[in-house]
Amino acid sequence: MLNKYARAFFTRVLTPFASFLIRRGVSPDTVTLLGTAGVMAGALVFYPMGEFFWGTVVITLFVFSDLVDGNMARQLGRSSRWGAFLDSTLDRVADGAIFGGFALWYAGGGDDIALCAVSIFCLASGQVVSYTKARGESIGLPVAVNGLVERAERLVISLVAAGFAGLHKFGVPGIQYLLPIALWIVAVGSLVTLIQRVVTVRRESAEAEEAAAATAQATAAPTSTPSPASASVEEKPRQQGSEAAK
């Protein structure tokens, strides 16, 4: 849902920065790679140590590369299948690093196996949610559904909660509980979104098969038998031919 309303806003905001990078000779692919590396560093270095505030600051500095590289490609007129593939693939890597960082913290210093499992579920369900749409589109279906918790929602909920939870180390009491609440919200929302997409693909698949069957039936050539009148007309030449033979 946030993709629909927020992407256009941030695209306008980040356009001047994208233009600046283009003037400096930076390529969109370079921005994609550096952005993913920065997100991974923030998530896998800071989060396992419980440094949620600083980890979120680092991640936030790089997470908008997903919008910057696309903006640069459009300005350069270089939108390509390779760029789309690279961007989508590295998005999955970045998402995995964020929730993997949470899981490492709760498996270690956080000492909470239940939240470790929830973090792993968030990681896995996020990948599957993205896969269902990509797979549905690859078999020719539109997958026309706005899920409850898509990638933008997962990132915003998790990163905002993690950033505020990190303020606990600065003496803010009780705020550390925001992250567990956020992880449960993301887990449940991702499950709902997965169900939404599976149901949508099932419906669209059935509709496509029905439409294909109807088209095939309509275009099939009907088998016809000659009418008695046409048969009599055909017999007359034959009879005349036999009279001539006599």
Side-chain angles (χ1 to χ4, degrees), residues 36 39-40 43 63 88-101 122-123 126-127 130 151-152 154-155:
T36 303
V39 171
M40 292 180 65
V63 76
S88 180
T89 300
L90 294 184
D91 282 349
R92 307 288 84 76
V93 173
D95 293 356
I98 291 171
F99 290 103
C122 290
L123 189 161
Q127 307 295 321
S130 298
R151 183 173 186 259
R154 291 195 301 271
L155 289 179

Side-chain angles (χ1 to χ4, degrees), residues 159-221:
L159 294 178
V160 169
F164 279 111
L167 295 177
H168 177 68
K169 289 198 170 185
F170 295 90
V172 180
I175 203 167
Q176 72 272 20
Y177 297 110
L178 281 179
L179 182 56
I181 293 171
L183 289 174
W184 278 105
I185 291 173
V186 170
V188 174
S190 296
L191 179 60
V192 172
T193 304
L194 177 59
I195 294 172
Q196 287 177 306
R197 289 192 174 179
V198 170
V199 170
T200 299
V201 169
R202 178 68 183 90
R203 174 178 53 78
E204 292 177 348
S205 176
E207 292 173 351
E209 289 172 0
E210 290 176 2
T215 301
Q217 185 176 4
T219 56

Side-chain angles (χ1 to χ4, degrees), residues 16-104:
F17 181 62
S19 301
F20 170 80
L21 293 178
I22 291 173
R23 291 194 298 270
R24 293 296 181 273
V26 180
S27 70
D29 287 353
T30 300
V31 173
T32 303
L33 292 169
L34 290 177
T36 303
V39 171
M40 292 180 65
L44 297 178
V45 173
F46 290 94
Y47 282 176
M49 298 188 299
E51 295 290 346
F52 294 120
F53 178 80
W54 294 115
T56 301
V57 169
V58 173
I59 291 171
T60 303
L61 292 175
F62 289 96
V63 76
F64 288 107
S65 64
D66 183 43
L67 298 177
V68 174
D69 57 8
N71 193 310
M72 293 173 65
R74 285 189 295 273
Q75 290 189 46
L76 292 169
R78 295 181 185 172
S79 297
S80 63
R81 292 182 177 88
W82 162 249
F85 169 80
L86 181 66
D87 188 56
S88 180
T89 300
L90 294 184
D91 282 349
R92 307 288 84 76
V93 173
D95 293 356
I98 291 171
F99 290 103
F102 293 146
L104 288 172

Side-chain angles (χ1 to χ4, degrees), residues 128-146:
V128 177
V129 163
S130 298
Y131 173 79
T132 53
K133 186 173 182 65
R135 184 67 178 120
E137 291 175 343
S138 73
I139 59 175
L141 300 176
V143 196
V145 59
N146 290 322

